[in-house]
Amino acid sequence: MADQNDWIGMIRDCEAKELNGEADLPSTRVHMMYCLLANDLNRARFLWKRAHGTFQKDTELKALWAIGQALWHKDWAAAFAVRVPGTGEIEKLLPLLQETTRMRVLFLIASAYQDIKVDAAAGMLGLSAQDTVTFCTGFNWQHAGDLLTPCETEVREHDGDRASMTR
């Protein structure tokens, strides 16, 4: 499995393989996953456009691209709702993609809201209401009634463009 801190490097390796004519369906799936993990939705979009017609009919690649489309439209609930029939390396990376996406959304909520209804946060985070409360309070958010209040966050640069919250 790839080093989590070098998704862009892994994407570049996949692109080099593609330019050398060595890309096959499994490597295209992995390439798409790396683009999603790096939150490089432009690269994911152009990868989809470059993919062979037969590749675009592949259930697993279509599902990964459906996640990419949902992320592109900032439809977090739809991104979490997509079920990918993951195999091989994709299956190993799917939980990491969910976790990474969930953390990005958590940071966006924290930076955009002074407080938010639990149900609204749950929809954005792809969790049940109870799991949302547990998840958010794990980051020192306050929970009162049906509202969550984000804590003050410390922003760290991570891989150039990702910000994360500290517990």
Side-chain angles (χ1 to χ4, degrees):
M1 185 160 48
D3 176 11
Q4 295 179 24
N5 297 319
D6 192 23
W7 299 124
I8 298 298
M10 298 305 295
I11 291 168
R12 288 185 182 132
D13 290 346
C14 290
E15 288 171 346
K17 190 174 182 178
E18 183 181 4
L19 287 171
N20 291 330
E22 302 168 8
D24 55 5
L25 181 56
S27 67
T28 302
R29 290 177 187 146
V30 170
H31 188 172
M32 179 67 76
M33 177 61 88
Y34 292 160
C35 290
L36 297 176
L37 283 164
N39 202 29
D40 195 337
L41 301 179
N42 272 327
R43 269 192 168 125
R45 184 170 58 102
F46 286 113
L47 173 61
W48 177 255
K49 287 182 177 192
R50 287 192 312 271
H52 298 282
T54 55
F55 288 9
Q56 288 187 356
K57 293 177 183 170
D58 177 67
T59 306
E60 192 171 354
L61 186 61
K62 281 189 341 189
L64 288 170
W65 176 233
I67 293 171
Q69 288 175 306
L71 294 174
W72 182 271
H73 294 288
K74 296 179 178 25
D75 185 353
W76 318 121
F80 287 115
V82 174
R83 296 293 166 240
V84 180
T87 58
E89 189 167 358
I90 299 302
E91 185 175 28
K92 295 174 191 168
L93 292 172
L94 280 170
L96 184 59
L97 178 60
Q98 275 196 330
E99 176 186 335
T100 302
T101 303
R102 191 163 283 127
M103 288 304 297
R104 287 181 187 134
V105 174
L106 183 72
F107 179 79
L108 288 171
I109 293 170
S111 63
Y113 293 89
Q114 288 184 326
D115 56 46
I116 185 170
K117 290 191 177 213
V118 171
D119 289 339
M124 290 184 215
L125 292 167
L127 297 169
S128 70
Q130 184 57 46
D131 289 343
T132 298
V133 170
T134 302
F135 183 69
C136 292
T137 56
F139 289 94
N140 297 320
W141 289 29
Q142 300 300 310
H143 174 238
D146 68 340
L147 291 177
L148 286 165
T149 304
C151 67
E152 293 294 319
T153 60
E154 178 183 322
V155 179
R156 292 181 289 146
E157 285 300 313
H158 181 66
D159 288 352
D161 69 336
R162 288 189 228 144
S164 62
M165 299 177 74
T166 58
R167 289 185 190 220

